[in-house]
Amino acid sequence: MALIEFNDFSFKYVGSDSLALKKVNLSVEAGEYVVVSGPSGCGKTTLCRAINGLVPQFHRGYIAGNVFVDSKSTRENSVADMAGITGLVFQNPSNQLVTLNVEKEIAFGPENLGVDPAEIRKRVEHLIHLLGLEHLREKHPHEMSGGEQQRVAMAATLALRPKILVADEPTSNLDPQSAEMILELIAEQNREGMTVVLVEHRLDVVAKDASRLILMNEGSVVADGPPEDVLLMDICQDIGIGIPKAVEVFKRLRSKDLHLPEVPMTGEDLVRIFREVVEHDSA
Amino acid sequence: MSFLEVFQYTRQDSVVHRLDPRSKLVMAIVLAMISLLFMNIVPLLILLSVLLPLIGLARSLQRWAKSMSGLSVLIVFIVIFNTLLSTVANPFSYSIALSLRLIALMSSFSLFFLTVHPDELSQALIQMGVKFEFAFAMSMAMRYVPTLGQEAYAIMDAQKARGVELDRGNILKRIRNIVPIIVPLIIVSIRRALSIAESMESRGFGACENRTYLEQLKFTRHDWALVLVSVVSFCFLVYVRFYLALPPWMSWGLPF
């Protein structure tokens, strides 16, 4: 069984008229880097919540189908049971920081799960070093910038040693520089072997690292595949997904009958591919 | 309200800061009770001459002085009204003693609050048997007060931009003006609370009966010494106060 399995999963929040997720079928293998995108209200957040059991354990409502994460059904296991498997980073950084300093924040999760204090200390030191939080150690969350807060929130999530890192628009409240830093950290985690599910609309930044792109609309998965395939589909225009400029260039060239050998994700990609084509032709 | 600053934790590295909150609590309570035992100027001055070096040891004299100057208006008020209205024999002397007692009381507790980080306080409560959830609720309140304050200002600005005149009109109108601030603030706070709860759930809050703690407070020899000194001096002073007469120089007062 795959690490994350959605089997015909549907969900409707209490008090809502429409399904937030409609018969979603999805399987994610260990080590994948999945980017989820789609217009607002399309069910991305609900999808994230379903992976760590907040749906249906915390947010109640109508459910059909099943979600299995690491072979555990989210219907039968509490969010706390899933906490060691799925780590969820949320959109609003300040709502994720519940203690008065960074060390306590990182320790909060493992403390809750009853991890041995010596081991917690090790994790705290490791993560403070890894995410460059040395100068923040003793700071109150209120004294930090949004980017710093989100880095601390990441550290606090990683302290649980999850198998899956799910991040729900972690950069939407941040300035571009902090946002890139967070996204780079996430990509780094994936290179180290972490399975990543990232909700993000800045595809020009994340598409190059992602192994898979999922588009959602009105509660359903409408496209699913490698980014270079999905980004060429017409559905992107239909649901208003902003595709990377380099892909745009690729498509324009193609419409003029100029075929590049591969789909570029970034400006650098595009230059490299151009150079290869030009050098190949002149040789 | 600047006199309240003396109850706000300040990050310092001092002997007093390093003591266990529990021993400091004992000390603060003992000092406060001693200041309530005496109603004469001399013993209260002696008490203050013990308190001030302690606050100095906590490297917070400056903050203390600032708070006390903020308090001076209130003290002048107490002195004037007591002198004029009190029926005791020497009203001025009496009101000076009252003010000294107020200062001593505040200083005793400030010694605790100045030097105990809210985190240490909740950890101390937990180790004294308070349930983690309650202690944590207290530290979370500390965490979110500034955030809520910021939010309140943002809402005020937004409402002003829409033409709500917050600081115009008579008292009734001003009270009514609070409504467009409070209602959105409550709604925003409820939403925030939900999202905080989600985040805490996701990190296993309340998952495990045997929650561990990164740092446990430890009672050191210094702490035991402090508790011992506090309790012994308290017993001694109670004895002096109730079973021996104060020597005349101690009960000295101003003649008016």
Side-chain angles (χ1 to χ4, degrees), chain B residues 19 29 35-36 39 46 56 63 77 79 90 97 106 112 123 126 136 143 152 165 199 203 210 228 234 243 248 252 254:
Chain B
L19 287 165
I29 291 176
S35 63
L36 292 177
M39 200 48 239
I46 295 174
R63 189 175 269 258
F77 194 78
V79 170
N90 298 323
M106 280 187 69
F112 180 77
Q123 189 62 34
I126 291 165
F136 191 69
R143 155 71 184 92
E165 292 180 310
S199 156
R203 289 195 276 150
N210 308 313
L228 195 71
F234 180 66
Y243 297 98
W252 172 84
L254 294 162

Side-chain angles (χ1 to χ4, degrees), chain A residues 209-262:
Chain A
D209 296 311
S211 59
R212 185 169 164 191
L213 177 60
I214 291 176
L215 301 183
M216 294 184 70
N217 192 31
E218 294 177 352
S220 308
V221 172
V222 291
D224 179 358
E228 56 273 24
D229 296 348
V230 172
L231 288 170
L232 294 178
M233 295 178 186
D234 294 334
I235 187 92
C236 294
Q237 275 69 43
D238 300 345
I239 62 174
I241 299 286
I243 63 175
K245 284 283 178 290
V247 178
E248 191 78 34
V249 171
F250 176 89
K251 286 175 78 175
R252 297 252 182 115
L253 289 174
R254 192 177 61 173
S255 68
K256 298 271 188 285
D257 260 343
L258 278 162
H259 294 277
L260 293 181
E262 57 179 295

Side-chain angles (χ1 to χ4, degrees), chain A residues 49 59 95-97 115, chain B residues 143 192 195 198 203 212 214:
Chain A
R49 287 171 175 162
H59 297 277
N95 290 354
Q96 300 172 68
L97 305 185
V115 176
Chain B
R143 155 71 184 92
R192 184 184 284 279
S195 126
E198 265 195 313
R203 289 195 276 150
T212 49
L214 178 60

Side-chain angles (χ1 to χ4, degrees), chain A residues 49 52 59 79-80 83 90 94-101 104-105 108-109 111-112 115 121 138 141 156, chain B residues 11 118-119 136 140 143-144 146 192 195-196 198-199 201-205 207-208 210-215:
Chain A
R49 287 171 175 162
N52 85 334
H59 297 277
V79 181
F90 298 83
S94 76
N95 290 354
Q96 300 172 68
L97 305 185
V98 293
T99 67
L100 296 160
N101 70 52
K104 287 257 169 167
E105 197 61 55
F108 182 74
E111 283 179 342
N112 283 332
V115 176
R121 172 55 65 191
E138 295 281 312
Chain B
R11 200 175 296 153
D119 266 344
F136 191 69
M140 264 184 89
R143 155 71 184 92
Y144 280 102
R192 184 184 284 279
S195 126
I196 294 168
E198 265 195 313
S199 156
E201 282 282 302
S202 310
R203 289 195 276 150
F205 180 71
C208 172
N210 308 313
R211 191 182 196 278
T212 49
Y213 298 92
L214 178 60
E215 267 156 12

Side-chain angles (χ1 to χ4, degrees), chain B residues 94-167:
Chain B
Y94 177 74
S95 45
I96 291 289
L98 266 183
S99 317
L100 285 175
R101 181 190 262 186
L102 177 67
I103 294 173
L105 259 179
M106 280 187 69
S107 309
S108 314
F109 283 114
S110 80
L111 206 49
F112 180 77
F113 288 106
L114 265 174
T115 60
V116 175
H117 189 274
D119 266 344
E120 285 182 308
L121 182 55
S122 71
Q123 189 62 34
L125 288 175
I126 291 165
Q127 289 182 228
M128 291 191 303
V130 174
K131 274 191 80 175
F132 167 70
E133 282 79 1
F134 293 116
F136 191 69
M138 192 200 68
S139 93
M140 264 184 89
M142 304 261 193
R143 155 71 184 92
Y144 280 102
V145 163
T147 312
L148 275 188
Q150 210 176 31
E151 215 137 58
Y153 277 115
I155 292 171
M156 271 174 173
D157 285 346
Q159 297 290 41
K160 276 186 203 160
R162 293 159 165 219
V164 177
E165 292 180 310
L166 292 174
D167 27 42

